[in-house]
Amino acid sequence: MASKTQNDDELDDSSAPLIEHLAELRTRIIWSMIAFITAMVLCYTVWNPIYNFLTQPICHALETRGQECGLILLKLQEGFFVAVRISLLGGFVLSFPIIAYQMWRFVAPGLYRNEKAAFLPFLVASPVMFFIGAAFAFYIILPMAYDFFLGFQQGPLQLPDDATAPVAESPLAAIVFQGSVDEYLSLTTKFILAFGLSFQLPVLLTLMGRAGLVSAEGLGSVRRYAVVAILVLAAVATPPDVISQVVLFTVVYGLYEVSIQLVRRIERKREAELRAQGLWVEDDE
């Protein structure tokens, strides 16, 4: 009987930390949801300026062709769902620092001081690299992509209902861009997210190198396979435009090489620390 009571006490003691962790996780999720919903509501009140900002690439591409910038609503409810889509995207971007802070508050108590010092830079670098990738897509890739897509127009480039449009002298059937607002925002969002996630490569590989999951020598030995994977990524994430694909491949491959150097730097620093403590063991050749 005493043994059974002792086992029950041990089970109760082991379950207490789990309940505390779950309660802490619930608190962090609640605060993250509050931050996201608040940011989403704020973005919904100013979705028009955000929309005007997101349409800059297509408007610039149209203006260079002497066309008026305008997107159309194909469905009655499309305008509302566009505002909601913009609110979701803007709310996530605006609340991401708070969400990352809540994640940090949940993970930090379980880390040692040296582990906190090692993990915190990656937590800061991740959103920074995402915004760099998103900006790269928005200001460089999207203008090239939309210029490529608009190049398939032909004939008079005015809309058919434009009363000021001159009468076409060519017998060719006109092909004029009449873009949907929802379709444009969907394509733009995919580009931004794809490049933002691609720029997480150095953060991910460096963090894995810090944890000892990958090595600079190992990353270098699979370089040929990485080239193939990056080529596939460039072909999938960009339009069938050779210039955009070459730019994406060059950037992502450059990030891969930077990741190798960062991992090698971590390995040298770890080796120096172990040598200073007299714990370094030379590998037998």
Side-chain angles (χ1 to χ4, degrees):
M1 177 67 69
S3 176
K4 181 177 181 181
T5 304
Q6 183 178 1
N7 291 335
D8 292 340
D9 291 340
E10 291 178 355
L11 289 175
D12 292 338
D13 293 338
S14 62
S15 62
L18 177 61
I19 295 176
E20 293 176 0
H21 284 305
L22 292 177
E24 178 70 13
L25 178 61
R26 180 188 63 182
T27 301
R28 299 305 168 192
I29 292 177
I30 290 175
W31 279 111
S32 299
M33 292 300 299
I34 292 175
F36 174 72
I37 294 174
T38 303
M40 186 181 68
V41 173
L42 291 176
C43 290
Y44 183 81
T45 61
V46 292
W47 74 269
N48 284 107
I50 299 176
Y51 164 79
N52 294 334
F53 173 77
L54 292 176
T55 53
Q56 287 182 4
I58 190 67
C59 287
H60 177 73
L62 288 170
E63 289 174 358
T64 56
R65 288 173 164 77
Q67 297 177 253
E68 182 180 356
C69 180
L71 301 174
I72 61 176
L73 298 175
L74 298 179
K75 301 177 182 178
L76 181 62
Q77 72 275 18
E78 186 173 340
F80 170 73
F81 287 112
V82 165
V84 172
R85 182 192 294 271
I86 293 176
S87 302
L88 291 173
L89 178 62
F92 175 75
V93 173
L94 193 62
S95 63
F96 183 81
I98 299 177
I99 295 175
Y101 174 74
Q102 295 300 324
M103 293 172 57
W104 171 251
R105 288 292 302 272
F106 177 73
V107 175
L111 301 176
Y112 293 105
R113 180 176 300 179
N114 60 338
E115 292 175 337
K116 292 180 181 179
F119 183 74
L120 187 58
F122 296 100
L123 187 64
V124 175
S126 180
V128 171
M129 292 301 296
F130 180 86
F131 284 119
I132 293 176
F136 177 80
F138 187 80
Y139 291 106
I140 297 180
I141 297 299
L142 285 179
M144 292 192 301
Y146 294 152
D147 183 71
F148 171 81
F149 288 139
L150 292 174
F152 289 95
Q153 298 180 108
Q154 71 173 15
L157 299 183
Q158 288 79 10
L159 297 178
D161 57 351
D162 190 352
T164 62
V167 179
E169 299 180 356
S170 173
L172 297 177
I175 302 177
V176 185
F177 171 72
Q178 289 181 289
S180 165
V181 178
D182 184 70
E183 183 179 357
Y184 169 79
L185 288 178
S186 177
L187 182 61
T188 302
T189 303
K190 289 178 181 178
F191 267 98
I192 292 175
L193 291 178
F195 277 81
L197 294 176
S198 296
F199 273 62
Q200 298 295 308
L201 183 63
V203 180
L204 177 61
L205 292 181
T206 306
L207 183 59
M208 294 176 65
R210 182 79 182 188
L213 300 177
V214 298
S215 64
E217 183 179 357
L219 292 175
S221 63
V222 298
R223 185 179 280 110
R224 66 181 66 181
Y225 303 105
V227 170
V228 175
I230 295 172
L231 284 173
V232 173
L233 173 65
V236 173
T238 58
D241 177 13
V242 177
I243 297 178
S244 300
Q245 293 176 356
V246 170
V247 171
L248 177 59
F249 170 79
T250 304
V251 171
V252 177
Y253 180 73
L255 293 174
Y256 184 81
E257 291 294 337
V258 170
S259 301
I260 295 177
Q261 298 303 320
L262 292 175
V263 173
R264 181 173 287 113
R265 180 180 179 182
I266 291 175
E267 291 174 345
R268 290 174 178 173
K269 183 177 180 180
R270 184 187 297 122
E271 179 182 347
E273 293 175 353
L274 292 176
R275 286 184 182 276
Q277 299 173 6
L279 302 176
W280 178 257
V281 178
E282 296 289 347
D283 295 332
D284 295 332
E285 297 296 340

